[in-house]
Amino acid sequence: MDIPRIPLGDWIEGGLNWLTSEYSLVTRAISRVTQTGINGLNDAMMWIPPWALLAIIALLCWKAAGTRLGIGAAIGLALIWNLGLWEPMIETLTLVVIATMVAVVIAIPVGIAAALSERLYKTIMPVLDFMQTMPAFVYLIPAIPFFGIGSVSAIFATVIFSMPPAIRFTTLGIRQVPLELIEAADAYGATRRQKLLKVQLPLSLPTVMAGINQTIMLALSMVVIAAMIGADGLGSEVWRAIQRLRPGDGFEAGIAVVILAMLLDRLTQSMRKTRKS
């Protein structure tokens, strides 16, 4: 018995082609604005001498998490500088910062809305499951027809890939606020807005920060993968090493990615602990 094949791929391709043709002016405008932001932040960080930026980051790590992280940051960044990977590291950091900011700006309001609305919560959870289980490489496919090859497509794919944890943790944090505190706020006549801003969000902030931490880590991993579609940074160094069969260069770029990931992870964890205390 022959069962007709569902042309799902053709439907998706046709939908992408329609969106690309109908909204090309919008995507081009978004691409220009995003590229301007990428270039501006990248140029600003490249304008600072490496030794000065190294000292600033090490001081920030020391203030946020103590002497050990400050010394570790100085040693790790000095190693990246010594390996000649300072500029790719800055390009990667730029993409991670912009993608994380966009993802968080979208994710936190969505997470708040899902926490306050049971209907939206039940609707959005399967969508998040779908987004988190989809292989990361798949997100690169629709990015290219919308924004072309380069860093803007990398930002688009990274935002989509890294957003779910921030939404989930924001929703979880607000839903975990003790019911007794909500009832006490109601007893004092607090409005819904006052309960959210003065009770629910402050108490859920450590959980929200945990979601932002996971978003940053996913953004970093996706930015590295996005080198396949022309994104600059440490990922392009790894990809170039693979193409040229130079494992030493790839290993050096991989070490730089690990150092950057550890610094971002420790910084956000220290911010979470500070908020919690």
Short mmCIF file of all heavy atoms in Angstrom, two decimals, residues 222-250:
data_model
loop_
_atom_site.label_atom_id
_atom_site.label_comp_id
_atom_site.label_asym_id
_atom_site.label_seq_id
_atom_site.Cartn_x
_atom_site.Cartn_y
_atom_site.Cartn_z
N MET A 222 26.43 28.67 19.62
CA MET A 222 25.84 28.88 18.31
C MET A 222 26.68 29.83 17.46
O MET A 222 26.79 29.63 16.23
CB MET A 222 24.43 29.43 18.47
CG MET A 222 23.63 29.45 17.18
SD MET A 222 23.39 27.79 16.53
CE MET A 222 22.52 28.13 15.02
N VAL A 223 27.28 30.83 18.07
CA VAL A 223 28.13 31.76 17.33
C VAL A 223 29.32 31.03 16.72
O VAL A 223 29.75 31.33 15.60
CB VAL A 223 28.59 32.91 18.26
CG1 VAL A 223 29.77 33.64 17.68
CG2 VAL A 223 27.44 33.88 18.49
N VAL A 224 29.85 30.06 17.45
CA VAL A 224 30.96 29.27 16.92
C VAL A 224 30.50 28.44 15.72
O VAL A 224 31.17 28.37 14.69
CB VAL A 224 31.55 28.37 18.02
CG1 VAL A 224 32.60 27.43 17.44
CG2 VAL A 224 32.17 29.22 19.13
N ILE A 225 29.31 27.80 15.84
CA ILE A 225 28.78 27.00 14.75
C ILE A 225 28.46 27.87 13.54
O ILE A 225 28.63 27.45 12.38
CB ILE A 225 27.51 26.25 15.21
CG1 ILE A 225 27.86 25.23 16.30
CG2 ILE A 225 26.82 25.55 14.05
CD1 ILE A 225 26.66 24.57 16.94
N ALA A 226 28.04 29.11 13.79
CA ALA A 226 27.63 30.01 12.71
C ALA A 226 28.78 30.42 11.81
O ALA A 226 28.55 31.09 10.78
CB ALA A 226 26.95 31.25 13.29
N ALA A 227 29.99 30.03 12.15
CA ALA A 227 31.11 30.28 11.24
C ALA A 227 30.88 29.59 9.89
O ALA A 227 31.44 30.01 8.87
CB ALA A 227 32.41 29.77 11.87
N MET A 228 30.04 28.56 9.88
CA MET A 228 29.73 27.86 8.63
C MET A 228 29.00 28.74 7.63
O MET A 228 29.00 28.47 6.43
CB MET A 228 28.89 26.61 8.93
CG MET A 228 29.59 25.58 9.78
SD MET A 228 28.52 24.19 10.20
CE MET A 228 28.14 23.55 8.58
N ILE A 229 28.34 29.81 8.11
CA ILE A 229 27.63 30.70 7.19
C ILE A 229 28.30 32.08 7.15
O ILE A 229 27.66 33.08 6.85
CB ILE A 229 26.14 30.84 7.58
CG1 ILE A 229 25.97 31.37 9.01
CG2 ILE A 229 25.42 29.53 7.41
CD1 ILE A 229 24.54 31.71 9.36
N GLY A 230 29.58 32.12 7.48
CA GLY A 230 30.34 33.34 7.27
C GLY A 230 30.48 34.25 8.46
O GLY A 230 30.96 35.38 8.31
N ALA A 231 30.09 33.82 9.66
CA ALA A 231 30.26 34.66 10.85
C ALA A 231 31.73 34.73 11.24
O ALA A 231 32.45 33.72 11.20
CB ALA A 231 29.44 34.11 12.01
N ASP A 232 32.18 35.92 11.59
CA ASP A 232 33.57 36.11 12.00
C ASP A 232 33.74 35.67 13.45
O ASP A 232 32.79 35.47 14.19
CB ASP A 232 33.97 37.58 11.85
CG ASP A 232 33.92 38.02 10.40
OD1 ASP A 232 34.26 37.20 9.52
OD2 ASP A 232 33.55 39.18 10.14
N GLY A 233 35.00 35.54 13.87
CA GLY A 233 35.29 35.23 15.26
C GLY A 233 36.07 33.94 15.40
O GLY A 233 36.68 33.43 14.45
N LEU A 234 36.06 33.42 16.61
CA LEU A 234 36.80 32.21 16.92
C LEU A 234 36.26 31.00 16.15
O LEU A 234 37.01 30.08 15.82
CB LEU A 234 36.77 31.94 18.42
CG LEU A 234 37.49 32.97 19.29
CD1 LEU A 234 37.18 32.73 20.76
CD2 LEU A 234 38.99 32.92 19.04
N GLY A 235 34.96 30.99 15.89
CA GLY A 235 34.39 29.90 15.12
C GLY A 235 34.98 29.81 13.72
O GLY A 235 35.22 28.71 13.20
N SER A 236 35.22 30.97 13.11
CA SER A 236 35.82 30.97 11.77
C SER A 236 37.25 30.44 11.82
O SER A 236 37.72 29.81 10.86
CB SER A 236 35.79 32.38 11.18
OG SER A 236 36.60 33.26 11.93
N GLU A 237 37.95 30.69 12.94
CA GLU A 237 39.30 30.14 13.09
C GLU A 237 39.25 28.61 13.17
O GLU A 237 40.08 27.92 12.57
CB GLU A 237 39.96 30.71 14.34
CG GLU A 237 40.15 32.21 14.32
CD GLU A 237 41.13 32.66 13.24
OE1 GLU A 237 42.13 31.95 13.02
OE2 GLU A 237 40.87 33.70 12.62
N VAL A 238 38.29 28.09 13.91
CA VAL A 238 38.13 26.63 14.00
C VAL A 238 37.76 26.06 12.64
O VAL A 238 38.32 25.04 12.19
CB VAL A 238 37.05 26.27 15.05
CG1 VAL A 238 36.80 24.77 15.06
CG2 VAL A 238 37.47 26.74 16.43
N TRP A 239 36.80 26.69 11.96
CA TRP A 239 36.36 26.21 10.65
C TRP A 239 37.50 26.25 9.63
O TRP A 239 37.65 25.33 8.81
CB TRP A 239 35.19 27.07 10.20
CG TRP A 239 34.54 26.66 8.91
CD1 TRP A 239 34.45 27.41 7.77
CD2 TRP A 239 33.87 25.43 8.63
NE1 TRP A 239 33.76 26.72 6.80
CE2 TRP A 239 33.41 25.50 7.30
CE3 TRP A 239 33.63 24.28 9.37
CZ2 TRP A 239 32.71 24.47 6.69
CZ3 TRP A 239 32.93 23.25 8.77
CH2 TRP A 239 32.49 23.34 7.45
N ARG A 240 38.31 27.31 9.67
CA ARG A 240 39.45 27.42 8.75
C ARG A 240 40.48 26.33 9.04
O ARG A 240 41.05 25.76 8.11
CB ARG A 240 40.08 28.80 8.89
CG ARG A 240 41.08 29.14 7.79
CD ARG A 240 41.62 30.55 7.94
NE ARG A 240 40.55 31.53 7.80
CZ ARG A 240 40.14 32.32 8.77
NH1 ARG A 240 40.69 32.25 9.98
NH2 ARG A 240 39.18 33.19 8.56
N ALA A 241 40.69 26.02 10.32
CA ALA A 241 41.63 24.97 10.67
C ALA A 241 41.14 23.60 10.19
O ALA A 241 41.95 22.76 9.75
CB ALA A 241 41.84 24.95 12.19
N ILE A 242 39.83 23.38 10.25
CA ILE A 242 39.27 22.12 9.75
C ILE A 242 39.47 22.01 8.24
O ILE A 242 39.88 20.95 7.73
CB ILE A 242 37.77 22.02 10.10
CG1 ILE A 242 37.59 21.90 11.62
CG2 ILE A 242 37.12 20.82 9.40
CD1 ILE A 242 36.14 21.97 12.07
N GLN A 243 39.20 23.09 7.53
CA GLN A 243 39.33 23.06 6.08
C GLN A 243 40.77 22.86 5.63
O GLN A 243 41.02 22.23 4.59
CB GLN A 243 38.78 24.36 5.49
CG GLN A 243 37.26 24.53 5.63
CD GLN A 243 36.78 25.86 5.12
OE1 GLN A 243 37.40 26.89 5.35
NE2 GLN A 243 35.66 25.84 4.40
N ARG A 244 41.72 23.37 6.41
CA ARG A 244 43.13 23.27 6.03
C ARG A 244 43.86 22.12 6.72
O ARG A 244 45.07 21.98 6.58
CB ARG A 244 43.84 24.60 6.38
CG ARG A 244 43.29 25.80 5.61
CD ARG A 244 43.97 27.08 6.02
NE ARG A 244 43.41 28.23 5.30
CZ ARG A 244 43.79 29.49 5.50
NH1 ARG A 244 44.73 29.76 6.42
NH2 ARG A 244 43.26 30.47 4.80
N LEU A 245 43.09 21.34 7.48
CA LEU A 245 43.68 20.19 8.21
C LEU A 245 44.86 20.63 9.09
O LEU A 245 45.94 20.06 9.04
CB LEU A 245 44.12 19.10 7.23
CG LEU A 245 42.99 18.44 6.40
CD1 LEU A 245 43.58 17.44 5.43
CD2 LEU A 245 41.99 17.77 7.33
N ARG A 246 44.61 21.66 9.91
CA ARG A 246 45.62 22.17 10.84
C ARG A 246 45.07 22.04 12.25
O ARG A 246 44.50 22.99 12.80
CB ARG A 246 45.97 23.62 10.50
CG ARG A 246 46.49 23.79 9.06
CD ARG A 246 46.85 25.21 8.73
NE ARG A 246 47.97 25.69 9.50
CZ ARG A 246 48.56 26.88 9.30
NH1 ARG A 246 48.09 27.68 8.36
NH2 ARG A 246 49.56 27.26 10.07
N PRO A 247 45.23 20.87 12.86
CA PRO A 247 44.63 20.62 14.17
C PRO A 247 45.19 21.52 15.27
O PRO A 247 44.48 21.84 16.22
CB PRO A 247 44.96 19.15 14.45
CG PRO A 247 46.12 18.85 13.57
CD PRO A 247 45.96 19.69 12.35
N GLY A 248 46.45 21.93 15.14
CA GLY A 248 47.02 22.81 16.16
C GLY A 248 46.31 24.15 16.23
O GLY A 248 45.97 24.63 17.32
N ASP A 249 46.06 24.75 15.07
CA ASP A 249 45.35 26.03 15.04
C ASP A 249 43.92 25.88 15.57
O ASP A 249 43.41 26.74 16.28
CB ASP A 249 45.31 26.57 13.60
CG ASP A 249 46.69 26.97 13.10
OD1 ASP A 249 47.61 27.06 13.93
OD2 ASP A 249 46.83 27.19 11.88
N GLY A 250 43.27 24.76 15.20
CA GLY A 250 41.92 24.53 15.70
C GLY A 250 41.88 24.35 17.20
O GLY A 250 40.96 24.84 17.87
#
